[in-house]
Amino acid sequence: MDDISLLQIALANLAILAGACLQGVAGYGIGTLSAPLLFLISPLFLPGPLILNAVILTVLMLIRNRAAMQVREVRYTIAGGLAGTVLAWLTLMVLSPKGFELIFGILILAGVALSIGGLKPALTPRNSVYAGAASTYMGTITAVGGPPIALIYQNERGPLVRANMSAFFLVASFLSLSALLLSGYLGIRELTLFALTFPGVLAGFWLSGLLVNRLPFEGLRPLILAIAAIAGVAALVRGLLSL
């Protein structure tokens, strides 16, 4: 593609590999880690191409962790996700390219704040609905939908987290893609960029199988949040300078 270099494609694959590996280990991460890195490489990789890669990753993770899934909790988050998708679609319909960078930065920093805020909501039906709505809204616009869902699953065991979050993210990704398609943010360019970065998600998932009990996710968390914060500030600055 004329507006994307081979170096950017290679870096994008590495960013998606890292996020896919993290999500394969912790249950989420392809948005939290990959989206900020992709924005710094080129905003064209967001949100459609990354969400398409996330669909592939969540299918693979569901197959790997299907025995641990509990449908009851997932249905509440999906119900909230429907509301979040409608709100995201309405936002995208009135958003300009300049406005996208501003809201991207705001939502990324909101995700960082949620991750470090110390909130510990219980895994209840009401909280699941709220988390599902917030996650799908953020995920549709920025491809970063992990922090709200991670809050309600932070005290649960690993296999349940990976299975239930994968089930939610799969449905949420299809909802997000529908909103992007209807608002004109998903077309041939996004499909092409997805095809060019698809190898990264496969390599990251394969690597996560080797590291699932070895990768120190909590030790990496400050670095991941710092990357997200830098990208959020960069998006805000770019959006403000272009006004």
Side-chain angles (χ1 to χ4, degrees):
M1 296 179 66
D2 294 338
D3 42 5
I4 295 290
S5 68
L6 291 176
L7 176 60
Q8 287 174 307
I9 292 170
L11 291 174
N13 272 278
L14 289 175
I16 290 174
L17 184 155
C21 180
L22 181 64
Q23 184 151 324
V25 171
Y28 78 103
I30 193 169
T32 308
L33 178 58
S34 298
L37 290 173
L38 289 173
F39 180 85
L40 296 174
I41 295 167
S42 172
L44 294 178
F45 289 106
L46 297 165
L50 181 56
I51 294 176
L52 287 166
N53 274 303
V55 170
I56 303 302
L57 178 61
T58 50
V59 169
L60 295 173
M61 287 189 61
L62 264 180
I63 294 171
R64 178 192 283 173
N65 299 287
R66 61 189 180 277
M69 188 172 68
Q70 294 183 9
V71 177
R72 181 175 179 274
E73 283 83 4
V74 176
R75 67 185 182 187
Y76 290 114
T77 55
I78 291 174
L82 289 168
T85 302
V86 173
L87 184 58
W89 172 70
L90 292 172
T91 302
L92 289 170
M93 289 296 290
V94 300
L95 208 59
S96 67
K98 296 176 183 178
F100 175 81
E101 292 188 339
L102 283 173
I103 197 168
F104 181 92
I106 291 168
L107 291 178
I108 289 290
L109 293 176
V112 172
L114 284 174
S115 297
I116 64 176
L119 297 175
K120 294 185 178 181
L123 183 58
T124 64
R126 183 180 65 180
N127 288 339
S128 294
V129 170
Y130 292 154
S135 178
T136 310
Y137 180 78
M138 294 174 62
T140 301
I141 296 174
T142 68
V144 183
I149 292 295
L151 284 178
I152 63 172
Y153 278 100
Q154 60 187 306
N155 296 318
E156 305 300 321
R157 67 185 189 279
L160 171 66
V161 172
R162 289 189 289 270
N164 278 22
M165 290 179 71
S166 295
F168 167 74
F169 285 140
L170 180 61
V171 176
S173 294
F174 280 111
L175 292 173
S176 296
L177 290 172
S178 299
L180 292 174
L181 183 63
L182 291 172
S183 56
Y185 280 79
L186 185 63
I188 297 300
R189 182 179 66 184
E190 287 74 22
L191 292 173
T192 302
L193 290 174
F194 159 62
L196 292 172
T197 53
F198 175 65
V201 83
L202 292 182
F205 176 74
W206 173 79
L207 186 60
S208 73
L210 303 178
L211 300 176
V212 68
N213 295 315
R214 302 176 184 177
L215 192 66
F217 174 67
E218 285 304 317
L220 294 172
R221 191 165 174 265
L223 175 61
I224 295 166
L225 294 177
I227 292 170
I230 291 169
V233 172
L236 279 177
V237 170
R238 285 174 57 162
L240 290 170
L241 290 177
S242 64
L243 290 178

